[in-house]
Amino acid sequence: MSELDDFEARLERDLRRVDVPEGFADRVMQRVPAAKQGRLLSFPMAVTKARHWMAVAAVLLVAVVLGFGVHHVEQVEHQRQLQEQEQAKARKAAEQFALAMQVTGRTLFVVQQRIDSAGTKTSR
Amino acid sequence: MGVIAESQFRSLVEQHQSMVYSIALRIAGDRGAAEEIAQDAFLELHAALKKMESEDHVRFWLRRVTANRATDWLRRKAVRPDWSAEQFDETYEAAIVERVGGAEVRLEQMVANLPTTLRGAIVLRYQEDLEPDEIAQVLGQPVATVKSNLQRGLGLLRRKADVMLKEFKRERVG
């Protein structure tokens, strides 16, 4: 072996793994339940809570969007009905006006005829 | 995904505890911190068990998390004003002397005093017997950086060892 190899071999010997202090595994296992309730699982729990709130927020958002959508559709339908009612009123008014004009025209025609016949009688 | 059952967790701890604790101890250089880092690594493993695909995945994951946590601990310690470097060296070196009896110059002591950037690569190479490309994956560094850190770390260790050996010989001759 070269000098460096000897040195490295000695380094490996000196850096062998050491034994853990007695009761190490027990102390780790004692901390596991505490960790479940506390710090170590706080991250996953936080993630779970965050996911829960994100789901609630998503549901609320969808509900709000749907609510606005339904409201908008109802508004559009209401406007359309109002427009139809206005148009029907306008048509009815136009028909009434046309009828009134017809009546008026006929009346004027009758009056004119009477005036004409009265004039003829007078001139005789 | 998720081939490791929760009921196997304790046996995973027992199987890998020496590896995890040793990595944490040699990078952090403090027994108390090493225990805390190792426990945290296993608790993180417990939380991530569903993601583990195989035993190899668990081993790789534990090495990476432990090395990262130990390096983070060192960085935090470096900015913490109530912590002295002397206390760090004495604590860890006392542990090494307690373990090996302090009869000879231990390279482990020198590794504990290496710069943080070099320590992780040296520990993973010579404690875990990983190749540079495997170390690069564990530490999330380019292979070239790992090779450079290994060379620099080895160079530093060899120079320190030479100096200490010369002092030892001088003391014996004297």
Side-chain angles (χ1 to χ4, degrees), chain B residues 115-133:
Chain B
T116 314
T117 48
L118 310 181
R119 214 181 298 169
I122 291 288
V123 169
L124 291 172
R125 177 75 186 96
Y126 295 102
Q127 178 191 296
E128 295 302 312
D129 200 23
L130 296 185
E131 295 298 326
D133 58 327

Side-chain angles (χ1 to χ4, degrees), chain A residues 17, chain B residues 4 11-13 15-21 23 41-42 45 49 51-67 124 127-130 134 137-139:
Chain A
R17 289 176 186 172
Chain B
I4 295 169
S11 66
L12 279 179
V13 174
Q15 187 184 342
H16 298 295
Q17 59 186 3
S18 175
M19 173 189 81
V20 170
Y21 179 74
I23 292 173
F42 280 113
L45 173 70
L49 264 186
K51 295 177 192 165
M52 295 300 124
E53 294 167 6
S54 63
E55 287 281 333
D56 285 344
H57 188 195
V58 170
R59 195 176 297 109
F60 168 82
W61 193 93
L62 281 171
R63 281 171 174 155
R64 190 182 61 188
V65 168
T66 309
L124 291 172
Q127 178 191 296
E128 295 302 312
D129 200 23
L130 296 185
E134 294 172 307
Q137 284 183 333
V138 171
L139 296 180

Side-chain angles (χ1 to χ4, degrees), chain B residues 80-92:
Chain B
R80 208 163 58 193
D82 60 337
W83 220 99
S84 72
E86 291 76 19
Q87 186 186 356
F88 160 72
D89 290 336
E90 282 169 13
T91 306
Y92 185 34

Side-chain angles (χ1 to χ4, degrees), chain B residues 62-81:
Chain B
L62 281 171
R63 281 171 174 155
R64 190 182 61 188
V65 168
T66 309
N68 287 339
R69 296 291 170 276
T71 307
D72 289 347
W73 184 86
L74 273 179
R75 287 193 189 120
R76 283 201 304 275
K77 179 178 68 67
V79 295
R80 208 163 58 193

